[in-house]
């Protein structure tokens, strides 16, 4: 059963593309976890926090 599924995934180009997206998403999650996971300090945390705050304030002003 598993072997057949893996063979179909190998032959299916759409499956390969989806698998690549999973890898990219995992890398993004790892980068964010590294930035915020252990107390978070440094230029990456400052840049991400600033960007998130900026987007949040613009959304709030657009809604209100």
């Amino acid at each position: 059963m598993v072997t057949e599924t893996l063979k179909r995934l190998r032959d299916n180009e759409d499956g390969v593309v989806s698998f690549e997206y999973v890898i990219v998403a995992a890398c993004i999650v790892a980068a964010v976890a590294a930035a915020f996971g252990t107390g978070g300090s440094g230029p990456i945390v400052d840049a991400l926090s600033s960007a998130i705050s900026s987007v949040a304030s613009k959304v709030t002003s657009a809604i209100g």
Side-chain angles (χ1 to χ4, degrees):
M1 179 83 171
V2 174
T3 305
E4 292 299 318
T5 302
L6 291 174
K7 285 180 184 177
R8 280 185 280 152
L9 182 61
R10 183 184 69 204
D11 293 337
N12 184 353
E13 291 181 15
D14 293 334
V16 173
V17 172
S18 297
F19 187 68
E20 290 170 353
Y21 285 131
V22 169
I23 292 172
V24 170
C27 291
I28 291 170
V29 168
V32 171
F36 289 104
T38 58
S41 62
I44 294 175
V45 173
D46 295 341
L48 287 173
S49 296
S50 174
I52 291 170
S53 296
S54 175
V55 169
S57 68
K58 289 180 181 180
V59 168
T60 302
S61 65
I63 292 173

